[in-house]
């Protein structure tokens, strides 16, 4: 297998045009390649500045999870820290987790941050939304988001080999008029549902609003976790 390491977006596009298979940490495909054979050409984005940046409002798609630190919002940092083992986090990438993984532990965090992905195609790099990114399995160049006033993340304990653990991600954003909105995303099984509600008047207002979204149709145990997370993240805003 010939692995290309482009240092510019143009070079990366040329690799894709030549049929190179995108590869991040290869944590999801290595076993399959060992069984079925390796591709002739592969391309990694780890040499692109756009794909390896870690900033307060953006994150590159080739960033390995263990590099995600307190430069980014709490919800995204804690989501990354919850993935697998330390060895996995030193090789798994943001793009691989969101686009390639069935669990997509970073997806709820990206949703509540209202993140916008920039994707790389053979002819251009362009901004899209998370729905298109997942549906078309684009090559993720970077994510950019709105910086929240506060955020939180919780992953429930789960037995190894059992159903995926429940994940609840929350973030509070300020609107142009100063109004506050709480966004939430819940992974229950392999599905992710979300909702948003005003929260200027506190947790009660937010929970009443969320009850009228898809979040309100979750099982009772999941709704209990949601209530706790909503109260926790809004309590952190008291006096602000």
């Amino acid at each position: 297998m010939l692995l290309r390491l482009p240092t510019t977006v143009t070079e990366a596009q040329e690799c894709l045009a030549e049929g190179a298979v995108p590869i991040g940490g290869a944590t999801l495909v290595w076993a399959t390649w060992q069984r079925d054979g390796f591709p002739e050409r592969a391309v990694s984005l780890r040499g692109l500045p756009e794909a390896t940046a870690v900033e307060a409002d953006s994150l590159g798609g080739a960033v390995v999870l263990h590099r995600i630190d307190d430069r980014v919002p709490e919800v995204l940092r804690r989501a990354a820290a919850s993935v697998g083992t330390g060895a996995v986090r030193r090789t798994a990438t943001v793009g691989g987790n969101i686009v390639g993984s069935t669990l997509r532990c970073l997806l709820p965090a990206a949703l509540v941050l209202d993140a916008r992905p920039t994707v790389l195609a053979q002819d251009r790099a362009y901004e899209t939304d998370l729905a298109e990114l997942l549906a078309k399995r684009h090559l993720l160049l970077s994510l950019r988001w709105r910086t929240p006033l506060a955020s939180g993340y919780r992953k429930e304990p789960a037995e190894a080999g059992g159903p995926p653990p429940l994940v609840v991600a929350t973030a509070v954003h300020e609107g142009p008029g100063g109004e506050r909105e709480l966004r939430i995303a819940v992974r229950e099984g392999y599905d992710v549902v979300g909702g948003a509600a005003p929260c200027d008047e506190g947790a009660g207002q937010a929970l009443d609003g969320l009850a009228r979204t898809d979040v309100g149709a979750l099982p009772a145990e999941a709704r209990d976790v949601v209530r706790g997370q909503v109260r926790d993240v809004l309590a952190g805003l008291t006096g602000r």
Side-chain angles (χ1 to χ4, degrees):
M1 180 176 69
L2 174 64
L3 177 61
R4 297 284 301 277
L5 297 169
T7 57
T8 68
V9 169
T10 299
E11 290 177 359
Q13 290 171 318
E14 291 172 354
C15 294
L16 294 176
E18 293 169 359
V21 176
I23 181 175
T27 55
L28 299 171
V29 297
W30 194 259
T32 300
W33 286 352
Q34 286 183 311
R35 184 190 67 227
D36 300 336
F38 288 80
E40 292 185 8
R41 297 183 181 88
V43 57
S44 169
L45 302 186
R46 65 174 182 258
L48 268 65
E50 300 92 336
T52 54
V54 181
E55 299 177 357
D57 61 355
S58 64
L59 189 63
V63 172
V64 292
L65 302 186
H66 88 105
R67 287 189 56 220
I68 299 176
D69 54 24
D70 58 6
R71 286 172 287 182
V72 306
E74 178 182 353
V75 63
L76 190 55
R77 182 175 72 252
R78 292 181 61 185
S82 76
V83 176
T85 63
V88 169
R89 293 191 293 274
R90 285 190 290 273
T91 54
T93 62
V94 172
N97 184 273
I98 293 178
V99 181
S101 169
T102 56
L103 292 179
R104 294 172 174 162
C105 295
L106 300 188
L107 178 59
L111 287 168
V112 299
L113 291 175
D114 198 21
R116 297 283 298 179
T118 296
V119 299
L120 186 61
Q122 293 183 18
D123 59 340
R124 61 186 175 124
Y126 65 96
E127 186 179 277
T128 182
D129 55 36
L130 289 167
E132 180 181 323
L133 173 69
L134 299 179
K136 297 185 178 180
R137 300 177 66 85
H138 288 305
L139 179 56
L140 178 64
L141 186 61
S142 63
L143 288 173
R144 185 170 294 277
W145 55 79
R146 295 192 294 154
T147 301
L149 296 173
S151 64
Y153 184 89
R154 179 170 174 177
K155 178 185 281 188
E156 291 291 275
E159 294 183 5
L166 179 76
V167 166
V168 180
T170 51
V172 178
H173 295 277
E174 186 171 54
E179 69 281 4
R180 293 178 175 181
E181 179 186 68
L182 182 137
R183 294 175 62 91
I184 191 165
V186 182
R187 189 189 73 194
E188 206 263 330
Y190 290 97
D191 297 323
V192 178
V193 300
C199 61
D200 289 303
E201 298 175 15
Q205 179 193 31
L207 290 168
D208 286 344
L210 292 175
R212 294 188 288 273
T213 70
D214 291 340
V215 176
L218 289 167
E221 290 184 2
R223 295 199 306 273
D224 287 342
V225 177
V226 165
R227 282 192 286 271
Q229 283 298 97
V230 169
R231 293 189 178 105
D232 286 349
V233 74
L234 292 178
L237 286 172
T238 301
R240 292 173 58 184

